[in-house]
Structures are given as structure tokens and as C-alpha cells.
Amino acid sequence: MAGNANSGRKRLSIAEKKLKGTYRADRDEKQEEAESAVSSVIAYEKTARVKAPSYFSSDIKKLYEQHAKSLIQLGLLIPSDLPELQMLYDTLSQYREVNEALKGVDITDDLMTYQALTSIKCKLQQQFTSLASKYYISPTARAKLTLDVLEIDKKQGENESIISKILAKQK
């Protein structure tokens, strides 16, 4: 089905093209302009601040606001991500509450409560871990972010040197 809008492969974003080293200014200039225009509309300004929900404890508020600030400065947080980021810190708050409740339960006196709280704690920990990796909290996610940035810088340097070689040959 030639010409079908659903056939073929998905168009790569400019960031993906730069990462792979396939970006060409002569071909991709218009797409880059469009992507930057869209991102300027939906993304936060680098200096934007996001306030934590009022029901968070003071230490959770501080963590939430610091994390949101870091993600905004890296250009990784957009307004539609806030509910999920808030869910991450809701989960952390609930985990801390369950952990405190678990400290007050004697396993020999109330085994059922201890088992229930332990089960809830494990589920909250799994939920937090899965959300945390999306927002660069885990060491693996931070390392991947660093490697991606280094790879983009390397590819940009290679592309510039290739272009300068081609231009030198044309002269």
C-alpha cells in the first residue's frame, strides 16, 4: 500500500537523528524548526518552578521541588508529566507511612497486621522503583542519561568534522 499514512517506518526525531549521527541540516532543518516550536510551547522555561502539592510533608515537598527543578533544567519535564511525578512522591510518602506503622507492630503479637503491612510496603517499593527509573532517580537511569548526552556530543563533533572535511575538499 504505497502512500498509506500508516505504512513505512516512523520518522525519527531530530534528537534521535543527532544521536545516531544521521542528522543533515539540508534535509532536516524544517523538521528541527517545527520540533523546537512545539517544544517551546509545551515545555517549561529553564527557570520555571513547580510547587509541590500542599498535602505533602515538608521533606517530601522539598524533594519534589528539587527533583522537578532538575528535570526542568535538563528539559526533561513537561506539564503533562506532573501527575506521574506527583504519583512518584505520593508513593514515597505512603511508603514512609507504612514503614513507620511497621515499626510499631510486634511480629509475635500481631502477625496478620505485620504481614499485611509488609506486603503493602513491598508493593509500594515496586511501584516507586518503576516510576523512579522514568524520572532518573535510579543509578542506572542516571548513567544512561549521562551516556546519551556524551553520545550526542560525540556525534555532533563527528558530524562537524565530516562537514568541514567535505567543505575543504570542495575548495
Side-chain angles (χ1 to χ4, degrees):
M1 288 185 144
N4 184 348
N6 296 324
S7 65
R9 56 187 169 169
K10 181 180 164 281
R11 176 180 275 190
L12 294 177
S13 70
I14 294 299
E16 290 171 315
K17 287 181 179 183
K18 286 181 177 179
L19 183 62
K20 289 183 177 185
T22 59
Y23 173 79
R24 286 186 42 191
D26 58 326
R27 279 190 193 164
D28 301 320
E29 185 177 13
K30 297 251 188 255
Q31 183 183 354
E32 185 173 25
E33 289 173 12
E35 284 183 16
S36 65
V38 168
S39 67
S40 69
V41 172
I42 65 168
Y44 286 111
E45 293 291 324
K46 300 282 185 197
T47 57
R49 296 226 179 239
V50 176
K51 291 195 69 79
S54 59
Y55 61 88
F56 281 169
S57 64
S58 61
D59 57 334
I60 298 287
K61 278 184 184 179
K62 185 178 177 184
L63 291 171
Y64 177 87
E65 290 172 357
Q66 286 175 342
H67 191 196
K69 180 182 175 186
S70 298
L71 292 173
I72 289 170
Q73 287 174 344
L74 290 171
L76 299 172
L77 187 68
I78 60 173
S80 61
D81 293 333
L82 285 180
E84 194 171 45
L85 185 64
Q86 185 175 330
M87 190 180 350
L88 173 72
Y89 284 93
D90 281 337
T91 304
L92 177 61
S93 181
Q94 291 170 359
Y95 179 83
R96 287 182 173 184
E97 289 173 13
V98 169
N99 213 25
E100 283 299 312
L102 201 54
K103 288 179 184 177
V105 176
D106 186 11
I107 190 170
T108 57
D109 291 340
D110 197 358
L111 182 62
M112 296 296 283
T113 303
Y114 182 83
Q115 286 178 329
L117 287 173
T118 304
S119 174
I120 292 169
K121 181 180 173 181
C122 288
K123 288 178 183 174
L124 288 170
Q125 186 175 9
Q126 288 173 345
Q127 184 179 7
F128 181 83
T129 301
S130 70
L131 287 169
S133 65
K134 290 182 182 179
Y135 292 101
Y136 303 100
I137 291 180
S138 71
T140 306
R142 281 191 303 275
K144 182 182 180 327
L145 177 64
T146 304
L147 291 174
D148 286 348
V149 169
L150 291 174
E151 186 70 21
I152 288 171
D153 290 344
K154 179 183 172 189
K155 294 291 184 181
Q156 285 177 341
E158 288 175 2
N159 285 346
E160 289 171 7
S161 64
I162 291 170
I163 292 169
S164 61
K165 287 178 185 177
I166 292 171
L167 291 174
K169 285 181 183 179
Q170 290 178 351
K171 290 181 182 179

